[in-house]
């Protein structure tokens, strides 16, 4: 906390504003609360999850008054709940990661046709890389597919402003609006002035008003489609002209054309005179004082061009790539100054509202340009828009980007790569090295590779191992799902043959059972995923009589995304604990006739339970029940008895626990020259699984202390 100031709301109440260092997702939460959001719902998914957690924390602390916040069963449930709330006039916020929007899409496509009343913002976090996702899908594409406006922030603080603008836009046009940050925006931190307390905007007095428009019918859908098309044209116009929205699509000019007499305003960044005057929205903006210094140097080295030249080169960027471009331009210009190179005049357009594409701003940007370089992550969305624009207007500029091999066609961008591409675009030698040279940015060589792995003590390890022991040599297909347990595919467990999407394992196993009936078909599903997307699959298994075994890995949390609660825990974000929804009772009610329980840390009992379920003809289930280690106090670590360890390595080659290593130099009466296993006590949580795997009783855990002892 750095300083406190008081602002006064319209009702005269003082809002205390505090400057705080916030992660992007925390800031988005504050932005929505300050915009008066009343209902917040979503499903956890990296990199989006912290937004709802922040709202829940503020609500629990009494700082977010009047808000309802929840983790819904899945994204579709969340969006449908919010649709109802929005029809009353409440401001609503939906959150998910990019693939979560697929789950909600059935509701979303219709919702855009029906329309909303209270502002409806969809916070959908994209994951270039992907770092923690199964696809690199681009929500900007989804926005154009669904015909929804989308904001694409380049920094967390721009995202803060966009969140508030999105609520206003949603209400003005009665359309859901997407705010689409990417991982680096979600997880970057910066300082914000935020209100210490917020009040949800009240639902209007009239509330929900019955109207035929709330009921979607084909005839109404036809009319609504026309209305959508019309409002998209209007919104594109707003994105180009309405100051508060056009501010998200700024342009700057730089490079050779800087006139020495230009009047550079360091406060506003605007430069008056020269080519900029032809374009009221184009400013010869300076980045900061450092940039001004660089400009002076450039003017010196370029011979202080007397008349500003109109740019022939343009750069377009969106999202975090736009922030990278700004930094890369500094690097390129600094490098040019050092090397006596002349930076050609250029125009840079940052596109914060990619859909509907603000064509009038594009026309202004493209005036006089011959080459345009497009830098964006994930899909070539802006590149396509510019190509379409060029086609429609018979423009002659070339568009370069992902489609031409001038930009990365997948994964994340970074400043060094963008700087190199801009240097090439400016005509500098392809050998020009403009990468950051300071040690703070220098890549560290020879870092050890750390593949993702189940935690030491993770109960899923025991579940997978028990199933493999029960199967023995029986041919089987093991269908995995989305969660920590996808890591069961790693060696030596090697227990996940497929992974498609949330809940798919249960239904895919049924496909294998039909097509390869000589094999056993098993599905692994986590407790949260079971509720999110597994229910339709288990009903299908009973309805169509598929011979599958569903292994529910119930660790009492949504572990992979940060230990969020789910219906099986009974914990809600609003405080009161509900009766947990029982997976066993759901399975019974649906018609599963073989349901067995197992503690995955008891190898013999779980293997026997797995055998019983696998041998059952028809849908069966094993409920592996043991909490995620993030929820329990660790027990005393296991130890290796040097007198009995033979160095056989079975504890390593069978279960692959990261807490067990092998010391080739260790010697003992049984291991002789082979070396011996050792336990890293800083990682081991004393789960005891390894002690049941060792055939020589050389591993043990103290019987006292710790929850697993
Ligand atoms: S976080 Fe929990 S569920 Fe995930 S790997 Fe670690 S112990 Fe297992
Ligand atoms: S601890 Fe047991 S399983 Fe591991 S190497 Fe020693 S004898 Fe083999």
């Amino acid at each position: 906390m750095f300083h406190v100031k008081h602002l006064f709301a319209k009702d005269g109440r003082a809002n205390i504003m505090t400057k705080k260092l916030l992660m992007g997702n925390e800031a988005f939460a504050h932005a929505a609360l300050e915009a008066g959001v009343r209902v917040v719902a979503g499903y956890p998914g990296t990199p989006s999850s912290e937004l709802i957690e922040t709202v829940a924390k503020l609500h629990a602390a009494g700082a977010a008054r009047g808000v309802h916040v929840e983790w819904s069963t899945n994204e579709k449930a969340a969006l449908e709940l919010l649709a109802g709330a929005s029809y009353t006039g409440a401001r609503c916020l939906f959150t998910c990661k990019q693939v979560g929007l697929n789950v909600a899409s059935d509701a979303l496509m219709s919702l855009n046709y029906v329309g909303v009343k209270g502002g409806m913002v969809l916070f959908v976090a994209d994951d270039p890389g992907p770092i923690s996702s199964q696809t690199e899908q681009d929500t900007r594409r989804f926005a154009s597919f669904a015909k929804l406006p989308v904001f694409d922030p380049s920094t967390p603080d721009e995202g803060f402003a966009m969140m508030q603008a999105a609520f206003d836009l949603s209400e003005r046009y009665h359309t859901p609006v997407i705010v689409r940050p990417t991982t680096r925006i979600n997880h970057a931190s910066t300082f914000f002035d935020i209100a210490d307390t917020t009040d949800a905007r009240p639902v209007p007095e009239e509330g929900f008003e019955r109207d035929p428009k709330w009921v979607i019918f084909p005839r109404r859908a036809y009319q609504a489609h026309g209305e959508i098309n019309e409002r998209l044209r209007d919104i594109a116009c707003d994105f180009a002209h309405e100051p508060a929205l056009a501010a998200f699509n700024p342009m700057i000019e730089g490079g050779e054309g800087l006139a020495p007499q230009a009047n550079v305003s360091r406060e506003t960044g605007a430069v008056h005179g020269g080519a900029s005057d032809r374009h009221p929205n184009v400013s010869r903006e300076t980045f900061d004082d450092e940039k001004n210094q660089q400009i002076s140097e450039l003017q010196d080295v370029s011979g202080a061009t007397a008349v500003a030249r109109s740019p022939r080169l343009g750069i377009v960027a969106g999202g975090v790539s736009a922030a990278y471009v700004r930094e890369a331009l500094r690097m390129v210009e600094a490098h040019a100054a050092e090397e006596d190179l002349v930076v050609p005049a250029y125009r840079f357009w940052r596109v914060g509202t990619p859909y509907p594409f603000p064509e009038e701003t594009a026309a202004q940007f493209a005036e006089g340009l011959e080459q345009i370089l497009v830098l964006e992550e994930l899909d070539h969305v802006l590149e396509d828009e510019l190509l379409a624009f060029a086609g429609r207007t018979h423009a002659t500029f070339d568009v370069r980007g992902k489609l031409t091999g001038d930009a990365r066609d997948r994964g994340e961008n970074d400043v060094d790569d963008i700087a190199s591409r801009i240097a090439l675009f400016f005509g500098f030698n392809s050998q020009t090295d403009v990468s950051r040279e300071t040690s703070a940015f220098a890549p560290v060589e020879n870092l050890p590779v750390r593949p993702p792995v189940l935690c030491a003590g993770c109960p899923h390890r025991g579940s997978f191992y028990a199933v493999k022991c029960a199967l023995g040599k029986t041919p089987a297909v093991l269908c995995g799902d989305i969660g920590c347990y996808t890591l069961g595919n790693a060696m030596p467990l090697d227990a996940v043959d497929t992974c498609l999407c949330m809940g798919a394992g249960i239904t895919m196993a049924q496909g294998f059972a039909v097509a390869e009936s000589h094999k056993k078909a098993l599905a692994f599903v986590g407790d949260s995923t079971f509720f999110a997307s597994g229910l339709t699959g288990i009903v299908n298994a009973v309805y169509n009589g598929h011979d599958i075994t569903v292994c529910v890995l119930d660790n009492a949390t949504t572990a992979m995304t940060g230990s969020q609660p789910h219906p099986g825990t009974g914990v809600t974000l609003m405080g009161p604990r509900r009766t947990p929804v029982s997976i066993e009772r759901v399975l019974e009610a649906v018609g599963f006739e073989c349901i067995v329980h197992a503690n995955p840390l008891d190898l013999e009992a779980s293997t026997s339970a797995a055998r019983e379920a696998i041998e059952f003809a028809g849908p069966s289930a094993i409920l592996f029940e043991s909490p995620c280690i993030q929820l329990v106090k660790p027990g005393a670590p296991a130890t290796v008895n040097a007198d009995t360890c033979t160095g056989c390595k079975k504890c390593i080659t069978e279960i692959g626990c990261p807490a067990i290593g092998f010391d080739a130099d260790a010697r003992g009466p049984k291991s002789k020259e082979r070396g011996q296993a050792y336990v890293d006590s800083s990682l081991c949580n004393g789960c005891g699984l390894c002690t049941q795997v060792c055939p020589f009783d050389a591993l043990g855990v103290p019987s006292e202390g710790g929850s697993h002892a």
Side-chain angles (χ1 to χ4, degrees), residues 479-482 498-510 512 522-525 548:
C479 299
D481 219 298
I482 307 291
T498 70
C499 178
L500 185 64
C501 64
M502 290 281 285
I506 295 173
T507 1
M508 287 184 72
Q510 297 165 42
F512 283 108
L522 287 87
F524 292 95
V525 63
I548 63 163

Side-chain angles (χ1 to χ4, degrees), residues 1 8 32 56-57 61 64 80 96 128 167 178 206 294 367 387 411 413 448 455 512 532 536 549 554 630 677 706:
M1 185 183 301
F8 289 90
K57 262 186 234 157
E80 290 160 353
C96 71
F167 276 108
I178 295 175
E206 76 282 0
Q294 290 165 4
E367 189 179 319
L387 285 167
N413 288 329
C455 300
F512 283 108
T536 47
T549 299
D554 184 353
Q630 309 296 337

